[in-house]
Amino acid sequence: MADRYWVGGSGTWDNASTANWSATSGGASGASAPTSADNVIINASSGSTFTITLGANITIFSADNMQNAVGLTIDFNGYNITCVGNNVNIWRSNTTTLHLGTPDVYFTYSGGVGTRSIIGNTQTTNQLNVYVTAGTDIVALINNYNNVDFTGFSGSHANASNKSIYGNLLVSSGMTWTDGAGTTTFAATSGTKLITTNGKVLTSLTFGGVGGTWQLQDAMTLGSTRSATLTNGTLDLNGQTLTALSFNSNFSSARTIAFGLGKFVLSGNATVWNTSTITNLTITGTPVVDLTYALAVAVTVNPGSLPESSSISFNIKAGTYALTLALGNVRNIDFTGFAGSFVSSTRTIFGNLTLSSGMTVTAGAGATTFAATSGVKTITTNGKLVDFPMTFNGVGGTWQLQDALTLGATRTVTLTNGALDLNAKTLTTGIFSSSNSNVRTLTMTGASVVVLGSGASAWTMATSTNATVNASGSTISMNSASAKTFSGGGRTYGTLVQGGAGVLTVAGSNTFADISNATQPATVRLTAGTTQTVSAFSLSGTSGNLITLDTTVAGTRATLSDASGTVSVSFVSIKDINATGGATWDALTANGNVDAGNNLGWNFSAVVDRRIIRQVFRPVFREIFHPIF
Amino acid sequence: MTEIINIPFTKTDGVHTLQDALNLTQDEIDALGDAGLEAMKQQRFDDWVAFITAPVPEMDDEIVENVDG
């Protein structure tokens, strides 16, 4: 192999001219043009500010000594250069070298010996297009490139150095992208660049060109300790899966993640997803992120306050770690397969919530707000206690329980906007609150609600403007041992059950299928001046454990109204109650009832319950008279 | 995506009634069998009854949210 030195400043490089070639550095010209057996050297003695213009396709062994050629411009002029050698520095540019035309350089060594370092410039335009077409050796890329194409290469790409690729990247299926600390930055500032990895595992990547777009042509997988970062431009998953340790786009520059039907699969711990800063962040497609870390080190997902339209679904598929969903918004969150703990925080869910039976949910006062504005979203808790407040607040949204939902005894379910459908399941909560004027629907048909909380707002729909309550066949049990109030806002409910020792105050004039009790002694207190319309009224105490039925203002009546039939209570002490509506209201003292005064409409006579009489004597009468008829 | 099968059930002890559902894959259902499914339902009910019959702690200040908007 001979060395050929460029001399004389600007000139034409073809396969014939000897005008600019010398056998020595800065020597006389006249040496033969370099061939595939020669190494080209362009150095400080070649010129100061000068342009080498190709006049033909060039084939050389290598160009391993151009790093000192300050002021060099290579005008490819429609031609290309092929390096057939395997020098340590098969191509070694000065960082300032400029390229004109289409700077295609082919590296065709087909053996397996050594390492070919291809050192580009550090310019932001017109970088080399590198084609490594053969070889089973090692190739290292250093500095900047436009397109990088390894088609035909079967060796290893060393990854010790950082590099920037301004064009496309094509990794061949036969090569290895060796793991290493070097980061590959995709730095295009315009157009759509294609990334094809052919199933090879890459290292850490940054997508960072202002105005650039990078489109995956197949699934992209980074090493298990390597992360992907989007600082600028558009990352288009193009329906593919991007697998990495973590993903970070916590910046304020203009950037887009185009999911299409693609997704991220993140295998790391610590902060695995970070879009905390959503300024200038656009998300399109159906955003899905799977978390697959399977061990116990804590994991944080920080999605930022993305709007519903671009919120991301997270599937937490494994692990025994503590997951923090930092203050932010998500679409669906599905814990199927997860056996760790979900750390309490304030968050917004625009889609479905699915807890796994093997996980735990950390208690906390931070509310989870369900904020969908369309469609039916599902809530599946798989028997897990949800010990944080839940707020349903999406204009036009619907949330449907898929199983029983149990909140902590001090937690509140708030229905602010939208429709909450209990789907014939049991809702257990500390407080139920929906006292506002927004359009909202509570569907309890065939369902049961257990309210464990106490106080004046244990159940409050006091302001029921624009509220629809569907409650056929439902039960609301007010179970607190302390005083509690049911403020129905004048709506129609199923059965209201006094289920705890604390006084149950019923506020507002409501309609119930029934008012009953599951414990005694206890008190049901109607707000003075209100009317409760019922289809049945089945309060009943036991001897020595009376149910007290009275009003909130001694001496001021409330009204119970039943349109037909006979109401019969037992062991109830009644005061200030006007029983009316058309039904017969029996509170026979013979059945242990007490007239405590100021009542209207009740039959307190000391005779045996007529129903008992009928039950006892009807069969006897039938027996007597049946033979006659 | 594995299909989740919803199996509604109601359990009562005469005082408390839980309306709930199991959400399982067909593989999980097959592995549990009838006895396993029944045991899971009973466990869910027992856990729930234990929860609602436990003493209720003091209420937090944040519990009531009457929000317009």
Side-chain angles (χ1 to χ4, degrees):
Chain A
M1 181 177 69
D3 288 335
R4 283 290 180 267
Y5 294 82
W6 182 269
V7 293
S10 296
T12 298
W13 180 1
D14 57 24
N15 293 311
S17 173
T18 63
N20 294 95
W21 294 110
S22 174
T24 58
S25 176
S29 62
S32 60
T35 69
S36 61
D38 299 322
N39 177 46
V40 168
I41 298 171
I42 305 173
N43 59 20
S45 298
S46 299
S48 53
T49 300
F50 61 110
T51 299
I52 298 175
T53 303
L54 300 190
N57 289 332
I58 303 298
T59 299
I60 57 175
F61 190 84
S62 59
D64 72 353
N65 197 342
M66 301 186 290
Q67 72 275 20
N68 296 316
V70 177
L72 169 63
T73 297
I74 302 175
D75 183 352
F76 280 72
N77 190 32
Y79 299 104
N80 58 57
I81 298 174
T82 297
C83 296
V84 301
N86 64 338
N87 289 28
V88 171
N89 296 311
I90 186 72
W91 183 279
R92 191 176 189 185
S93 292
N94 183 276
T95 57
T96 64
T97 297
L98 303 178
H99 305 120
L100 300 177
T102 303
D104 292 339
V105 181
Y106 294 85
F107 299 89
T108 61
Y109 171 70
S110 60
V113 177
T115 297
R116 290 179 282 173
S117 292
I118 302 170
I119 304 173
N121 62 16
T122 56
Q123 302 303 300
T124 57
T125 59
N126 287 346
Q127 307 82 6
L128 294 179
N129 295 318
V130 172
Y131 301 89
V132 183
T133 63
T136 58
D137 57 336
I138 299 170
V139 168
L141 298 176
I142 302 169
N143 291 338
N144 295 0
Y145 310 90
N146 185 34
N147 298 326
V148 174
D149 187 337
F150 284 98
T151 300
F153 179 60
S154 300
S156 299
H157 166 259
N159 206 56
S161 302
N162 295 337
K163 69 191 75 62
S164 293
I165 298 174
Y166 286 76
N168 306 325
L169 171 65
L170 193 157
V171 180
S172 73
S173 59
M175 67 178 287
T176 300
W177 194 277
T178 306
D179 191 31
T183 293
T184 300
T185 298
F186 292 95
T189 56
S190 64
T192 298
K193 309 306 178 186
L194 309 181
I195 301 175
T196 307
T197 58
N198 275 310
K200 311 314 292 185
V201 176
L202 305 189
T203 51
S204 293
L205 301 178
T206 296
F207 301 89
V210 177
T213 295
W214 305 275
Q215 185 183 72
L216 304 190
Q217 300 303 293
D218 50 15
M220 171 183 278
T221 301
L222 309 189
S224 60
T225 62
R226 305 304 176 187
S227 300
T229 302
L230 173 65
T231 60
N232 288 288
T234 297
L235 172 57
D236 180 2
L237 298 187
N238 190 31
Q240 309 297 334
T241 297
L242 196 165
T243 302
L245 178 78
S246 62
F247 177 77
N248 178 27
S249 190
N250 186 31
F251 307 97
S252 56
S253 48
R255 62 216 191 278
T256 297
I257 308 170
F259 280 82
L261 296 176
K263 66 178 179 179
F264 285 84
V265 175
L266 303 177
S267 60
N269 53 49
T271 300
V272 294
W273 179 275
N274 193 351
T275 48
S276 177
T277 302
I278 64 167
T279 305
N280 292 317
L281 173 63
T282 301
I283 292 179
T284 63
T286 304
V288 175
V289 177
D290 289 349
L291 307 187
T292 60
Y293 174 65
L295 301 176
V297 178
V299 171
T300 295
V301 170
N302 197 335
S305 300
L306 290 165
E308 180 181 16
S309 59
S310 59
S311 57
I312 301 167
S313 295
F314 289 90
N315 300 314
I316 297 86
K317 290 179 166 292
T320 57
Y321 53 84
L323 174 72
T324 298
L325 180 61
L327 179 65
N329 304 344
V330 299
R331 192 168 297 179
N332 302 326
I333 186 162
D334 186 339
F335 288 94
T336 301
F338 181 61
S341 60
F342 187 26
V343 177
S344 174
S345 67
T346 300
R347 56 211 161 209
T348 296
I349 299 174
F350 290 111
N352 307 324
L353 169 65
T354 304
L355 303 180
S356 74
S357 59
M359 67 182 289
T360 58
V361 179
T362 304
T368 292
T369 298
F370 294 87
T373 58
S374 65
V376 177
K377 310 306 178 188
T378 60
I379 298 174
T380 307
T381 56
N382 274 310
K384 306 313 296 184
L385 172 65
V386 177
D387 201 0
F388 52 74
M390 280 187 171
T391 297
F392 297 89
N393 186 12
V395 176
T398 297
W399 303 274
Q400 186 183 69
L401 303 190
Q402 298 303 294
D403 51 14
L405 172 60
T406 303
L407 272 70
T410 65
R411 305 305 178 194
T412 300
V413 169
T414 303
L415 174 59
T416 304
N417 277 294
L420 175 58
D421 178 3
L422 303 189
N423 193 26
K425 304 298 187 298
T426 298
L427 167 64
T428 304
T429 181
I431 300 291
F432 179 85
S433 176
S434 185
S435 184
N436 59 64
S437 299
N438 304 316
V439 175
R440 63 210 191 278
T441 300
L442 174 62
T443 297
M444 299 187 289
T445 307
S448 56
V449 180
V450 176
V451 177
L452 300 175
S454 59
S457 302
W459 177 290
T460 180
M461 198 176 263
T463 301
S464 60
T465 307
N466 292 319
T468 300
V469 176
N470 303 311
S472 176
S474 67
T475 300
I476 299 172
S477 297
M478 306 292 289
N479 280 19
S480 179
S482 301
K484 64 266 184 181
T485 297
F486 178 93
S487 296
R491 298 306 181 190
T492 298
Y493 298 92
T495 298
L496 177 64
V497 179
Q498 161 58 300
V503 173
L504 170 60
T505 299
V506 180
S509 294
N510 312 294
T511 300
F512 296 99
D514 192 4
I515 296 176
S516 67
N517 62 286
T519 187
Q520 58 278 321
T523 297
V524 174
R525 181 163 292 158
L526 309 184
T527 299
T530 64
T531 297
Q532 310 305 322
T533 302
V534 297
S535 300
F537 192 80
S538 9
L539 291 182
S540 87
T542 60
S543 177
N545 296 299
L546 298 186
I547 299 296
T548 299
L549 174 63
D550 60 12
T551 72
T552 53
V553 179
T556 302
R557 292 189 187 96
T559 298
L560 282 173
S561 178
D562 188 353
S564 61
T566 298
V567 170
S568 180
V569 299
S570 57
F571 296 102
V572 178
S573 174
I574 305 171
K575 183 174 185 296
D576 297 327
I577 302 298
N578 176 19
T580 186
T584 299
W585 292 83
D586 283 350
L588 307 181
T589 55
N591 291 338
N593 298 297
V594 175
D595 181 359
N598 195 32
N599 297 300
L600 289 175
W602 292 95
N603 173 20
F604 286 103
S605 63
V607 297
V608 179
D609 189 321
R610 282 172 292 194
R611 289 182 301 178
I612 296 175
I613 294 173
R614 283 197 295 270
Q615 289 169 3
V616 170
F617 290 102
R618 184 175 292 158
V620 175
F621 292 147
R622 282 180 180 156
E623 190 65 28
I624 294 171
F625 295 109
H626 182 266
I628 299 173
F629 299 102
Chain B
M1 186 172 179
T2 307
E3 182 184 3
I4 299 295
I5 299 169
N6 185 271
I7 307 171
F9 67 93
T10 299
K11 279 205 166 284
T12 184
D13 58 7
V15 177
H16 308 104
T17 300
L18 175 67
Q19 295 163 272
D20 199 350
L22 302 181
N23 295 279
L24 302 167
T25 64
Q26 186 61 56
D27 287 347
E28 289 170 329
I29 294 169
D30 293 343
L32 285 165
D34 290 344
L37 291 173
E38 187 55 33
M40 185 175 282
K41 295 173 184 175
Q42 189 63 44
Q43 187 65 53
R44 291 270 282 264
F45 178 68
D46 293 344
D47 290 347
W48 179 73
V49 172
F51 175 72
I52 66 167
T53 56
V56 176
E58 290 297 311
M59 303 296 284
D60 291 348
D61 292 337
E62 50 77 29
I63 54 177
V64 178
E65 302 172 48
N66 297 336
V67 179
D68 283 327

